[in-house]
Amino acid sequence: MTSVLSPALEMIGISKSFPGVRALEDVSFECRPGEVHAICGENGAGKSTLMKILGGIYRPDGGEIRIKGQPASFAHPVEARRAGIGIIHQELSLLPDRSVAENIVLGAEPTRRGVLDRTAMRAGAREILARLQSSIEVDARAGDLSLAEQQMVEIAKALASKPSILVMDEPTAALDDSEASRLLDLVRRLRRDSVAVVYVSHRMPEIAAISDRVTVLKDGRKVLTDRTEAMPTGRLVRCMVGRDLEEFFPPRGAADGGVLLQVNEGGNATISDINLTVRRGEVVGVAGLEGAGKSALARAIFGDRPFTRGTMQLNGQPFAPRSSRDGIRAGVGFLPDDRKREGLALGQSLRDNAALTLRAFARALALPSAGAMGNLTLDQRLRALDVRAARFDDPIRLLSGGNQQKVIIARWLARDPQLLIFAEPTRGIDVAAKAAIYAIIRDLANRGRGILMISSDLPEVVGVSDRVVVMHEGRIVGECPSGASEEDVMALAVGHGGSVAEPASACGS
Amino acid sequence: MTLALQPARRRHRAFSVPLLLFIGSAALYLCAALWTQSLNQLSAEGIVGLLQRTVALGTVALGQTLVILCASIDLSVGSMISVGAVLASFIMRGAPAMMVPAVLVVLLVAAGVGAINGLVIAKLKVSPLIATLGSGLILQGVLSSGFNNFAGSVPPAFQAVAYGAIGPLPWSVLGLGLLALGVSWLLRSTRFGAHLYAVGGNAAGARLAGIRTDRVIVQAHTLCSLFAGLTGLYLASRLRSGAPWVGRDGVYDLESIAVVVIGGTMLAGGRGGVWGTIAGVLLFAVIDASFNMLGVPAFPKQVIRGAIVIAAVAVYSLRNKGHVA
Amino acid sequence: MTIALPDTALHRRAGSLTRHINSGVVIFLVLFAAVALKQPSYIEPAGFMNFLRRAAPLGVLAAGQVFVLVSGGFDLSVGSLITLSVLGASMITGGDPSLTGAAIAALYGIGVAVGLINGIAVAFLKVPSIIATLGTLLSVNGVAMMWSGGSPRGYLPDNFRAFGRFVFRDVPLVGQLPLSVIVLAIVAVLAWWGLHGTVFGRRVFAVGDNPRAAELAGIRVDLTRISAFVISALSAVTAGIMLGGFGGVSTDVGQGLELQAIAACVIGGAQLMGGRGSITGVVFGALSLFALFTLLNLLGLPQALRDTAQGLILISAVASGAYRQRTGG
Amino acid sequence: MKRIVLRCSAAALAVGLATGAGAQEFNSQKDFDYAQELLKMTPQGPEGKPWEQNLGGKQIDTSKYKKPGPYNICFSNAGVDNPWRVVGWTDMQAQADMLKSDIKSFTAADAEGKDDKQISDINSFVSSGKCDALIVSPNTTAALTPAVEAACKKLPVLVFDRGVQTDCPVTFVNPIGGYGWGITTANFIVSKLPKGGKVLGLRILPGVDVLENRWAAADRIFKANNINVVGAEFTGGDNAKTKTIVEDYINRFGKIDAIWMDAGATAVAAVEAFEDAGQPYPIITGEDQEDFLTKWKKEKLTAFAPTYPTYQWRAPVIAAVKILKGEPVVGPTWKLPQPVVTQETLDQYVDPNMPPLHYAMCGCKDMPGYPQRWGGK
């Protein structure tokens, strides 16, 4: 309706199988020049696979890709790039030891007579960053940037090749509100420049705000494509999940136990002035932007990167863990945010992963399947958490994110810690598994454990927690009671909480 | 203001290891010479003699730097050096006319071996340690079954490579300097260099950025083997002939890896550079020369050298918070 | 992540079946069949026992090395440690059989020390193991030569040499049973127990697979790594005792054995950089390597081509392993 | 697929290279005859001091090197990577101590078996200006030649053990050498071997000229006498490998009557292979290493031990001092006698107090620190 132009991109009847699984089946969609086409679906619905096919990382088993009406096939990302496709990938792929400029032009370095043209390189990088209204210095080392800045560099990298088709895979995941809105402005400008934008996102408001059409995927198949106006959030979610969101968050408990954890004036190199209390039976959410110190807080309490200042009490006893082992021994558990890098031994079996902490504390020469580490007990525990796998002695890398996370939960439940710290418990996990994990968290609290939940997902923090502690620049800047709105939390997180008087706000700072 | 600080910090990071090694090596050499009153070792002739010790290991190590930067490794260089030395002297058989063909054949064979190494690693996904350990064994076996001693000889004209000099400066030392400059230029100023760091730093990311990572690995290995071939040519010239054990007896495979790592290039790839490697080679040469001056007996020397290898790497890896295996 | 096809379970089961058949066993059976075809005496009990006796030290060495490999490292120092064991035994006993016990105890003490040094250099000084153990390779060899002055003082007494030479005769079923084969069997069982039958073994796997995850789960990564190096060193001392027993005193017994041990492990399916490997696999890997050497001897090929064949078999073992892993085995 | 490509290219390379094998000649009739001649000669020189004796040598004038003492003598050593070199190196140090009044300093550089390093070692000795004379034990013959030539221009050079391809050194000290070894050992086996007996040759490694000459001479004699040599294998000087090879041969041929060795380091291992296989002892030629001599005496072997005497390490030190004093020395080649150990002389050399890897022909019994310095008790 808005456009009569022929599509810039068509993906027709795309299918892709991996050994033992069919990831995509007969998926088609098109994107016209100047159109923003959103792709939605739960994690595992096949969005990423579809984008990887478009980016030349995977080759489809069936179907066809057309660029401006011409059939195309990509054996390597470089071919997709040459065909005018730019991709902002979900996983950060920066080189930490190289400069921002080097990262931005990577793969398409400007040369003069075969020699790298560093002046042009920096000028080009600067220009792209300027278009993004970013003040990142092009000579900075990428590894020294904050996560949000790194995400900006990723975006700049995709724009560097001046793509006619731009794929954005969850581009705002690490950005704060103002950065995200700047990005959306940019998308609008690109749209005006007749770039075809394929926009993959979880964030419903963004999709509503920016996209022209929406395609919903579920279980590797296309559910529908429709104009965004015709897709209110409720309908969209129903299409994606097959049910309503309301039943998502478990009801809060009433338990008000004694104080479990008390942090007084805690601090280290990244965080300071931390005062925090967690009671038994309570889920305390920790909100804040990326880089606000949430993760550092979790690690400090756990003992992995300990506090160097201040004191802690656990169960009324002085608690000063110097290592994760100390933390565990005292009754704390920690589920790291980066599961692949910090949580899982990918090549080992589900059972081995589930028994990891038990084995860390068992006698070295005990049978690996002694007592609680026995297969029967482990399997029971895994089944209780509804872990789905063909076999429990398969390597855990074959599992979906949700199931992997459940295995890690099983690992901690075996120790039955008093305090369990969840960092981004549902990052990269599909909706159904999310609900299950929320239920587990609440159930643990109901059974008298204290829960600290670090999350960048605002609906999640607000929906699950009994109390939300908000961090900003390494400090706790405020606290919101149960039932606070996302806006209240966000206001604190971006640092406005104290100065802007908002009588309606439920939060204090 | 933090932004203004960053480039300075970067420079510090990139230059401290080589500089430290250079200073440490120079100090060790100076002390040894002064302690033993071998003042002649501080003369031009003495210093040139010291530099001459760096040529063979330095040349291999330059190639090794390239593969380690892209997170690979080459254990076949020792055998490749032997192949290069033997082929050169065997083809030349003392005839000046055969010099050019011999050099060409050696470089061609070296490039071929390197390309195969790279292909086995990149395409067959064989761990580089095993791939090059295997190819080294294959080369050594083939070579030793064909030759069992010094084969042929190089003509006097070719010996100029190792023994010729302009003024006090031997061609070979100059050559190593130029090679080092060349590799440094390659790393800093060409796409290949940028891509090499990218593949070593984050192979998946490099691929996503449209870099043909397989190609980069093959190119790096080809260059590495070429440098090993050059080392073979240099040794053939210096020893006047090539024998199938010159590479193995020189322990160039493990020593080249050791100097690269001592020079601050990470085994995991993506960080490091040429000057660290050169400084590492210099350290090894200084150890040899100083121990000679000090008259350290052979056996204790081995013990001390092993300890220095560990200590040199430990000095800056200690700060590393992550896990190392 | 994705939908499972109906035939998933079946597919996986077939996959895991091939996964559970160890490459080392397969390669060994093929090579040994070739050996037996060429020289049938090798499948007779006496011939087979003789074969095992010679392969035993390498098997012992590989069974120790695999702990370090699975934990994600390398141990290049074992060759030197073997030399040190043999020279040390000569220096301590000086040919006196009554000192054999003391010598063996001292050697294991030395082994523990070397393993500790390796492990501490890697775990605390953060020196990559390939460099750290290269350093100890040089130093340990230097120490061995310094101690003996290059000229070890005494003969190895007969009771020491029994570990490499003694053969039980008239054993039912097998006819003769070399003591070194019994040692290999004991070491293999101990190593199997250590790696597959204890909590410690599982920790080694976890550390090799993902040290950070292991640490956050409460595993003492440093201690686990150090223990792996100590185990490898102890197996090297054992192999040294067997080799000294088999061949007597010499100053270069251990040379090159470190790479053979790693090769044996790799042929047996152990993965460099950690997380995968099995004792059965590496012991058969060691036997495969020896079967290969035997075969080449029998074929009368030049000794030099032995290296070539070893190189080819290494690359193809790993390439086929990588291929199987990629195709979802 | 890749593997096939790889294998093919390797094979092609092998074929290409194999055609060029044997480029260096180790089997010279002239040298063989010369060795025969030397073996028949009576050594000249002080009685009971074979390291100062010579076979048919001429004294040369060295007055041009004369300078006031005491002297700084430098030594570039190929390496101390085997017991023979260790014993020799101990001899040499002891000899330097014996001449303390004439030698101010004796500095050694160890090349660890690397030609490249030895060239640099020699160069830095020359450039240090701190050496009055330079002794070189070359790692390999051809490779060290240029470095030695350059050194000759600056100071008197003495070479021993392996030679160099130049006449510039004042003298080159060495025993009769490989051919002599091969001749005496092969003759012994020929004289003892029953008719049709099988001989196994065990060699350390290919390509070392001394070792190649030993085999060439022996092989010549075996061929001339129609001896059945069932194989010649390289042991790498490794006991375990030696034993394995011998066991394999015993398995394959049922019985081996004689073992010929180009070096005795693994002789005991070879003998043990027969013990372990339950076979009678073979006729065997080893070397003057104590473990072999002890075994020989204990088991009453039919054996023979040629020597490549370690006392040759003494001669260059003595000669260096003489040269610097301007006294005549034997040159430009100085052939030392090369005694053998036979059943008759065995008892002279077996010494249970010396370590197993000691070489009996060290000529060191009169030296300071004997026997502790050599590891004896």
Side-chain angles (χ1 to χ4, degrees), chain A residues 96-415:
Chain A
D97 290 310
R98 307 293 279 171
S99 75
V100 167
E102 282 167 326
N103 269 291
I104 289 177
V105 300
L106 187 68
E109 295 84 353
T111 55
R112 212 167 44 191
R113 277 175 265 127
V115 181
L116 283 191
D117 187 343
R118 290 194 176 267
T119 324
M121 191 189 274
R122 297 166 76 226
R126 224 174 251 136
E127 184 216 310
I128 295 165
L129 286 172
R131 270 168 74 196
L132 288 168
Q133 294 166 320
S134 161
S135 59
I136 299 170
E137 175 56 44
V138 292
D139 290 326
R141 210 181 70 105
D144 293 339
L145 302 180
S146 73
L147 257 175
E149 286 174 319
Q150 290 185 12
Q151 179 69 52
M152 274 307 193
V153 176
E154 282 287 346
I155 294 165
K157 211 166 131 183
L159 293 177
S161 58
K162 302 204 167 52
S164 57
I165 300 158
L166 183 66
V167 179
M168 308 176 93
D169 196 352
E170 311 255 3
T172 55
L175 303 185
D176 69 33
D177 258 11
S178 63
E179 287 163 326
S181 74
R182 261 184 280 155
L183 181 71
L184 296 187
D185 282 344
L186 175 81
V187 172
R188 288 185 193 103
R189 265 181 285 145
L190 290 169
R191 175 160 60 184
R192 276 203 297 279
D193 297 342
S194 293
V195 174
V197 179
V198 179
Y199 197 93
V200 179
S201 180
H202 276 319
R203 297 195 178 178
M204 300 302 158
E206 274 174 22
I207 292 171
I210 198 142
S211 67
D212 302 306
R213 283 192 294 173
V214 188
T215 292
V216 180
L217 298 183
K218 183 168 160 52
D219 294 344
R221 277 165 237 228
K222 182 163 108 169
V223 179
L224 57 79
T225 300
D226 206 340
R227 286 181 302 114
T228 309
E229 301 98 280
M231 292 286 281
T233 306
R235 183 179 167 219
L236 197 54
V237 170
R238 266 195 305 282
C239 287
M240 281 166 55
V241 188
R243 60 189 161 87
D244 288 319
L245 257 181
E246 308 315 315
E247 59 213 61
F248 216 65
F249 298 114
R252 291 189 174 79
D256 184 21
V259 172
L260 177 61
L261 174 80
Q262 177 89 47
V263 184
N264 302 311
E265 299 299 325
N268 61 21
T270 27
I271 48 178
S272 38
D273 306 334
I274 302 296
N275 289 295
L276 180 71
T277 309
V278 179
R279 293 167 181 281
R280 300 176 174 284
E282 187 183 39
V283 178
V284 178
V286 180
L289 304 177
E290 288 284 343
K294 305 192 296 289
S295 179
L297 173 63
R299 280 152 212 270
I301 295 171
F302 185 52
D304 176 43
R305 301 272 182 267
F307 283 122
T308 50
R309 303 185 293 273
T311 56
M312 282 198 285
Q313 273 112 40
L314 190 69
N315 262 333
Q317 303 294 316
F319 172 51
R322 307 308 307 159
S323 67
S324 45
R325 197 172 164 83
D326 286 352
I328 298 167
R329 203 183 277 122
V332 182
F334 173 56
L335 289 89
D337 38 355
D338 191 338
R339 272 193 306 281
K340 280 204 172 133
R341 236 175 265 165
E342 301 195 321
L344 298 167
L346 285 169
Q348 311 303 312
S349 73
L350 275 72
R351 287 186 188 128
D352 284 336
N353 271 284
L356 208 54
T357 299
L358 282 181
R359 288 190 182 139
F361 288 87
R363 281 182 306 115
L365 297 185
L367 267 181
S369 57
M373 300 175 290
N375 284 352
L376 275 177
T377 324
L378 288 177
D379 291 359
Q380 238 169 23
R381 202 168 278 131
L382 291 171
R383 278 198 204 98
L385 292 172
D386 196 24
V387 174
R388 290 185 200 163
R391 293 148 54 93
F392 287 160
D393 60 358
D394 275 342
I396 200 164
R397 69 184 145 84
L398 299 176
L399 262 58
S400 68
N403 280 315
Q404 289 177 338
Q405 184 72 305
K406 286 181 188 168
V407 173
I408 299 180
I409 295 176
R411 174 194 299 169
W412 288 113
L413 294 192
R415 270 295 287 193

Side-chain angles (χ1 to χ4, degrees), chain C residues 54-225:
Chain C
R54 295 180 203 162
L58 187 59
V60 168
L61 203 54
Q65 178 78 240
V66 74
F67 279 82
V68 178
L69 287 184
V70 167
S71 79
F74 294 89
D75 191 350
L76 295 177
S77 69
V78 291
S80 290
L81 188 50
I82 287 174
T83 306
L84 179 61
S85 306
V86 172
L87 296 189
S90 156
M91 296 305 289
I92 297 170
T93 62
D96 182 351
S98 66
L99 289 174
T100 295
I104 289 177
L107 292 182
Y108 280 112
I110 292 169
V112 169
V114 172
L116 282 177
I117 292 171
N118 282 334
I120 287 169
V122 175
F124 292 123
L125 303 186
K126 309 275 184 192
V127 178
S129 62
I130 194 169
I131 299 294
T133 58
L134 171 65
T136 40
L137 173 148
L138 293 172
S139 292
V140 168
N141 201 56
V143 166
M145 299 307 280
M146 268 172 78
W147 188 5
S148 63
S151 172
R153 189 151 50 95
Y155 294 87
L156 296 176
D158 283 341
N159 58 354
F160 185 94
R161 297 209 49 191
F163 292 103
R165 288 189 80 189
F166 186 76
V167 176
F168 292 98
R169 310 266 169 195
D170 303 318
V171 179
L173 249 75
V174 290
Q176 47 168 294
L177 185 58
L179 181 54
S180 56
V181 175
I182 299 175
V183 174
L184 171 64
I186 293 172
V187 169
V189 167
L190 275 177
W192 189 94
W193 170 72
L195 192 62
H196 303 297
T198 64
V199 161
F200 165 74
R202 297 304 168 97
R203 288 184 200 156
V204 176
F205 277 99
V207 165
D209 198 311
N210 186 343
R212 182 75 181 128
E215 181 187 19
L216 285 179
I219 291 176
R220 291 291 307 262
V221 176
D222 38 15
L223 291 190
T224 309
R225 260 196 223 297

Side-chain angles (χ1 to χ4, degrees), chain B residues 74-98:
Chain B
D74 192 344
L75 288 173
S76 71
V77 287
S79 306
M80 187 58 233
I81 288 170
S82 301
V83 169
V86 169
L87 270 186
S89 75
F90 175 66
I91 295 174
M92 289 182 203
R93 288 186 200 254
M98 293 305 285

Side-chain angles (χ1 to χ4, degrees), chain D residues 281-353:
Chain D
Y281 290 115
I283 300 162
I284 184 163
T285 70
E287 201 172 349
D288 56 331
Q289 221 171 9
E290 282 294 341
D291 60 348
F292 176 65
L293 301 181
T294 307
K295 187 89 186 168
W296 175 358
K297 186 170 180 189
K298 189 171 155 228
E299 308 294 346
K300 303 191 173 54
L301 304 176
T302 308
F304 181 85
T307 69
Y308 188 62
T310 44
Y311 61 60
Q312 66 173 302
W313 291 66
R314 298 184 61 174
V317 185
I318 298 171
V321 171
K322 277 190 171 177
I323 290 168
L324 292 170
K325 286 181 169 169
E327 295 169 15
V329 294
V330 181
T333 15
W334 176 349
K335 282 287 175 192
L336 294 168
Q338 186 170 297
V340 296
V341 181
T342 62
Q343 191 65 52
E344 290 73 44
T345 58
L346 178 61
D347 286 345
Q348 240 176 283
Y349 295 103
V350 179
D351 184 351
N353 287 325

Side-chain angles (χ1 to χ4, degrees), chain B residues 57-268:
Chain B
L57 184 58
T59 311
V60 213
L62 285 179
Q64 192 71 260
T65 309
L66 293 176
V67 287
I68 292 184
L69 274 179
C70 75
S72 189
I73 204 163
D74 192 344
L75 288 173
S76 71
V77 287
S79 306
M80 187 58 233
I81 288 170
S82 301
V83 169
V86 169
L87 270 186
S89 75
F90 175 66
I91 295 174
M92 289 182 203
R93 288 186 200 254
M98 293 305 285
M99 276 168 32
V100 174
V103 170
L104 287 180
V105 168
V106 168
L107 294 183
L108 219 70
V109 169
V113 168
I116 292 174
N117 279 343
L119 286 171
V120 170
I121 292 161
K123 299 291 183 190
L124 298 188
K125 312 280 178 216
V126 176
S127 135
L129 275 158
I130 293 298
T132 56
L133 175 65
S135 69
L137 284 168
I138 294 172
L139 283 177
Q140 191 67 51
V142 169
L143 187 67
S144 307
S145 66
F147 296 91
N148 54 26
N149 200 343
F150 281 101
S153 65
V154 302
F158 192 71
Q159 288 169 34
V161 173
Y163 291 98
I166 28 169
L169 198 61
W171 286 113
S172 52
V173 172
L174 194 67
L176 176 64
L178 290 177
L179 279 179
L181 280 173
V183 175
S184 163
W185 175 81
L186 199 68
L187 290 177
R188 286 186 52 81
S189 304
T190 66
R191 275 192 184 185
F192 169 72
H195 294 182
L196 198 65
Y197 280 104
V199 171
N202 184 344
R207 207 177 124 80
L208 294 181
I211 294 170
R212 294 198 184 267
T213 52
D214 290 0
R215 210 177 274 174
V216 174
I217 290 172
V218 172
Q219 285 165 343
H221 271 279
T222 307
L223 279 172
C224 178
S225 281
L226 274 173
F227 278 97
L230 282 178
T231 312
L233 288 172
Y234 165 73
L235 284 179
S237 159
R238 186 154 159 90
L239 311 184
R240 303 218 283 189
S241 179
W245 59 75
V246 292
R248 189 192 54 209
D249 283 3
V251 212
Y252 291 111
D253 36 15
L254 291 177
E255 289 205 345
S256 64
I257 294 168
V259 293
V260 170
V261 175
I262 287 173
T265 297
M266 301 229 304
L267 269 178

